[in-house]
Amino acid sequence: MLIKTIFSGFGGQGVLSMGYTLATTAMLEGKHVTYFPSYGVEVRGGTANCTVAVSDEEIASPVASEPEFVVAMNQPSFVRFQSLLQSGGLIFVNSSIVDASSTRGDIEVVAVPTSELAEKLGTIKVANMIMLGAFIRLSNIISFDFMTKNLSQILGEGKSKLIKMNKDALELGFNYIKE
């Protein structure tokens, strides 16, 4: 199995953090991973994206020419990356700010109002973790239970104060898809 995903959005939306969290969790589960970030010169507010590849075998290239999944946290990312998605792939969109009405007919859109859900938790800063929870639910790339049990190790000691808030956000996104 080789699964490639592109996470994309504005700088400051935590798209690189989503990819890094997925890659770190997969690595701790014993899988092979690559994490390839890309962002413009204007970090906060500019475009940012990363490619994460997860496999049971060694990975030859981190480039995702036809990823199975795309996460688009803003409109420019939706427009740019839906064309790269392979036929039958899933594109996850922050439906609070992304209009997905012009979607290709051969892909599936998963609309998650991450900004609105994050505001219910009290901070927009966890919108990325809500989306990551929803993504994990449908992609099955990593174990959700493993990630939440090891969240302090995955996010690092510097974010220990934010573990509960991030865990709540992940669970909200994961359970949003179930509803």
Side-chain angles (χ1 to χ4, degrees):
M1 128 189 126
L2 171 63
I3 299 172
K4 294 186 179 182
T5 305
I6 295 176
F7 293 91
S8 57
F10 289 130
Q13 284 186 302
V15 295
L16 300 181
S17 178
M18 277 192 285
Y20 184 80
T21 302
L22 175 67
T24 302
T25 304
M27 184 179 64
L28 291 172
E29 286 185 327
K31 296 177 176 141
H32 295 273
V33 300
T34 61
Y35 168 75
F36 190 66
S38 173
Y39 41 90
V41 291
E42 65 289 274
V43 177
R44 199 173 253 317
T47 58
N49 67 79
C50 65
T51 301
V52 177
V54 177
S55 179
D56 292 333
E57 301 173 357
E58 287 190 28
I59 300 169
S61 171
V63 178
S65 55
E66 289 189 328
E68 287 81 0
F69 303 104
V70 168
V71 174
M73 293 294 285
N74 65 2
Q75 194 69 37
S77 296
F78 172 76
V79 171
R80 177 178 175 192
F81 291 109
Q82 75 162 313
S83 63
L84 296 180
L85 190 61
Q86 68 177 245
S87 182
L90 296 180
I91 185 164
F92 293 77
V93 299
N94 175 0
S95 60
S96 299
I97 59 173
V98 174
D99 173 14
S101 61
S102 61
T103 307
R104 290 176 21 209
D106 64 338
I107 61 176
E108 184 180 338
V109 174
V110 179
V112 183
T114 57
S115 299
E116 293 165 31
L117 293 171
E119 288 172 7
K120 288 181 181 178
L121 288 180
T123 177
I124 192 69
K125 292 180 180 181
V126 295
N128 64 329
M129 296 305 261
I130 292 169
M131 182 61 85
L132 185 58
F135 173 80
I136 292 166
R137 175 82 179 180
L138 290 178
S139 69
N140 279 327
I141 294 174
I142 59 171
S143 163
F144 183 77
D145 291 336
F146 178 86
M147 183 179 69
T148 55
K149 285 179 189 166
N150 296 285
L151 201 55
S152 59
Q153 180 183 2
I154 294 163
L155 296 180
E157 295 301 317
K159 302 208 174 162
S160 61
K161 296 178 204 169
L162 306 173
I163 298 299
K164 182 179 178 349
M165 183 184 344
N166 282 307
K167 187 175 180 182
D168 290 347
L170 285 162
E171 288 174 351
L172 180 60
F174 189 83
N175 292 326
Y176 178 82
I177 295 300
K178 190 165 46 171
E179 296 173 356

